[in-house]
Amino acid sequence: MAREELTRLTGNGNGGPCGKDDCPNVYRTSSGSIVVQGDVSTAFQPPEGEGLVEIPESVLKEAVRVLGW
């Protein structure tokens, strides 16, 4: 799946202190699932095929606001 196929829920993508595309963000897929972009976390070892990322609380709050949850 390409990034262009996702709906970006957070950030405006217009640059800023973290650049155009490298900020932590939350995206929605066409099937309604959520994709999270963030810093790799080593909090614990996830099961095979899974990964952990950290995102700021503000990013998650923005995504919830956009989704109307």
Side-chain angles (χ1 to χ4, degrees), residues 49-68:
E50 295 183 5
L52 302 175
V53 299
E54 290 186 37
I55 60 170
E57 183 178 318
S58 60
V59 173
L60 186 56
K61 285 181 176 179
E62 182 180 354
V64 168
R65 180 188 59 76
V66 168
L67 290 168

Side-chain angles (χ1 to χ4, degrees), residues 35-46:
V35 175
V36 178
Q37 174 187 351
D39 295 325
V40 175
S41 174
T42 57
F44 64 90
Q45 183 63 44

Side-chain angles (χ1 to χ4, degrees), residues 7-27:
T7 301
R8 188 174 183 161
L9 301 176
T10 59
N12 60 17
N14 293 329
C18 54
K20 183 175 180 182
D21 292 321
D22 61 351
C23 295
N25 280 294
V26 177
Y27 302 85

Side-chain angles (χ1 to χ4, degrees), residues 28-34:
R28 189 173 206 176
T29 68
S30 60
S31 65
S33 63
I34 302 296

